Amino acid sequence: MSLTFHWFLPTNGDSRHVVGGGHGTPVTSAGGDRPPSVGYLSQIARAAEHLGFEGALTPTGAWCEDAWLTTAMVSQHTERLKFLVAFRPGFLSPTFAAQMASTYQRQTGGRLMLNVVTGGESQEQRGYGDFLGKDARYARTGEFLGIVRDLWDGKTVDHTGEHLHVEGAKLARLPDPVPDVYFGGSSPAAGQVAARHSDVYLTWGEPPAQVAKKIAWIRSLAAEQGRTIRFGIRLHVITRDTAEQAWAEARRLLDGFDPETVRSIQSGLGRSESEGQQRMLALHGGSLDNLEIYPNLWAGVGLVRGGAGTALVGSHAEVAERIAEYHRLGIDEFILSGYPHLEEAYWFGEGVLPLLRGQGLWTHPFQPAAPEPTAAQVPFAATAS
């Protein structure tokens, strides 16, 4: 099975510095260096498509542009790249959400993937009119996804649950293909919903031993449901021709962190209800020292950014080896990003992907494999014994 790689669309702005934001924290000033215009995001998307990334994750929340509208526009400037768009139970009715996904599939030629975002921060949820607590939000997500799945199966749905109620719900046109559902979450409530409804379980970039425990946990829960699930990981990346060049870039980014900004962001993230966010914070403890928490795994990004806070840092060969290590644990999909996203896509796409292809771990999803040469095409010298 070939590994799958996705890139990231920075709809909160891009920069040669780390752009903070997410999980209740504001976007840092660097986000204004390259505003998230459709033109710039389309440039990133086209580069990712050319390099061999299969899809692109788009963030969600009050701190960035709306994922559905933005990717719908960017999709018109690309041909094959898929878009991993936030599915937010509680913000839309399940019937309307299922219809939106079906329309998106038809209008883009099947290029939608869905990232379920239950909502880790009650303060942000209340700003959108959602006043449920965290466990109740996950219970609602389970109901929501159950209804959506039934609608995509062509069923007429009557559902009266604790949080959702629909009668005679039915789609006139079904999505083709049905979009894959991606789901992340580290709490017990999240694990149960992921096991029952997700196609791909996502984890943030923790050290391999911690990732292995998560995989075993979700596999066990899914087996109880009679299901199997694929696994993906979300990481930043800094890859260069040499390890020295890559770590020099990491140090440059770190030098750009204002200590007061770090303290303010860490204080905000410390109040997060997200178990995954707390696991990210524990990797660095708010300290600017000892940030290489595992060979080639750097926790510096999480000092100023909510959500995914670790990066693979090293030479192309070292980064390829860390990817192979995660793959041996059971990770098949990698969602990557880097600052700035346009240039870093090329560093990874031209530096690491060819190494993985040479190891038989990856093939370009948009380029046909080279055909086997016929006898007439093989030079005589090569056939002589």
Side-chain angles (χ1 to χ4, degrees):
M1 178 179 179
S2 176
L3 297 180
T4 299
F5 292 91
H6 307 290
W7 199 238
F8 185 85
L9 290 183
T11 58
N12 56 326
D14 202 7
S15 175
R16 293 183 181 275
H17 302 281
V18 176
V19 179
H23 280 263
T25 62
V27 172
T28 52
S29 60
D33 292 350
R34 297 185 187 180
S37 66
V38 171
Y40 179 62
L41 296 175
S42 297
Q43 191 177 4
I44 295 172
R46 287 193 297 269
E49 184 176 73
H50 167 75
L51 291 165
F53 294 96
E54 190 163 313
L57 172 66
T58 310
T60 185
W63 55 289
C64 55
E65 298 289 355
D66 176 74
W68 285 86
L69 291 172
T70 301
T71 59
M73 289 184 277
V74 172
S75 73
Q76 302 308 295
H77 299 274
T78 54
E79 297 177 358
R80 294 154 298 192
L81 190 74
K82 297 179 181 179
F83 298 93
L84 184 50
V85 180
F87 220 27
R88 303 207 65 171
F91 289 8
L92 295 171
S93 81
T95 308
F96 187 44
Q99 182 184 17
M100 287 175 61
S102 182
T103 297
Y104 199 113
Q105 287 296 69
R106 284 191 298 279
Q107 299 297 345
T108 64
R111 293 195 282 145
L112 176 66
M113 305 178 293
L114 293 166
N115 179 35
V116 178
V117 179
T118 297
E121 314 304 334
S122 291
Q123 181 178 357
E124 182 186 41
Q125 294 295 118
R126 289 193 293 270
Y128 283 97
D130 178 17
F131 291 85
L132 291 183
K134 180 179 176 180
D135 285 349
R137 290 199 295 270
Y138 277 112
R140 180 181 59 195
T141 294
E143 290 187 40
F144 178 95
L145 292 175
I147 294 169
V148 167
R149 292 281 198 188
D150 283 346
L151 289 169
W152 287 340
D153 285 341
K155 298 176 183 177
T156 299
V157 181
D158 294 304
H159 175 90
T160 302
E162 182 179 359
H163 302 286
L164 298 173
H165 180 193
V166 299
E167 294 181 359
K170 187 176 178 63
L171 295 183
R173 302 182 69 183
L174 303 180
D176 183 19
V178 171
D180 280 344
V181 173
Y182 291 67
F183 195 104
S186 299
S187 69
Q192 292 293 337
V193 178
R196 188 175 299 114
H197 295 289
S198 67
D199 298 299
V200 181
Y201 176 81
L202 292 176
T203 179
W204 286 329
E206 299 177 4
Q210 293 173 308
V211 170
K213 289 180 180 179
K214 270 192 175 181
I215 290 174
W217 170 52
I218 295 296
R219 273 185 177 153
S220 176
L221 293 177
E224 293 174 4
Q225 302 288 331
R227 304 184 70 238
T228 57
I229 292 176
R230 306 195 308 276
F231 293 92
I233 193 168
R234 170 79 179 95
L235 289 155
H236 305 278
V237 64
I238 304 172
T239 179
R240 295 293 186 271
D241 295 337
T242 68
E244 292 76 16
Q245 291 170 343
W247 285 109
E249 177 64 10
R251 288 191 295 272
R252 185 192 69 80
L253 292 175
L254 187 63
D255 289 343
F257 294 175
D258 173 63
E260 182 55 39
T261 299
V262 172
R263 283 192 292 270
S264 176
I265 290 176
Q266 290 301 298
S267 176
L269 293 175
R271 296 189 292 271
S272 171
E273 298 172 342
S274 166
E275 188 166 328
Q277 182 62 72
Q278 295 307 317
R279 291 168 69 103
M280 282 283 103
L281 295 181
L283 296 177
H284 54 69
S287 172
L288 277 67
D289 300 320
N290 302 315
L291 291 171
E292 189 178 7
I293 57 174
Y294 186 81
N296 307 110
L297 185 64
W298 185 65
V301 177
L303 291 170
V304 295
R305 184 192 191 278
T310 54
L312 296 178
V313 181
S315 68
H316 303 315
E318 289 172 335
V319 170
E321 175 51 37
R322 291 288 79 74
I323 287 172
E325 182 176 4
Y326 279 114
H327 175 52
R328 288 192 291 270
L329 300 177
I331 299 291
D332 293 321
E333 300 200 21
F334 294 78
I335 301 176
L336 306 175
S337 57
Y339 299 96
H341 289 76
L342 180 61
E343 289 91 325
E344 207 64 48
Y346 279 101
W347 276 113
F348 184 87
E350 295 177 343
V352 178
L353 288 181
L355 297 179
L356 295 172
R357 180 170 51 201
Q359 297 171 26
L361 293 176
W362 176 78
T363 57
H364 197 301
F366 307 130
Q367 293 178 356
E372 292 293 328
T374 65
Q377 295 171 319
V378 177
F380 175 76
T383 62
S385 59

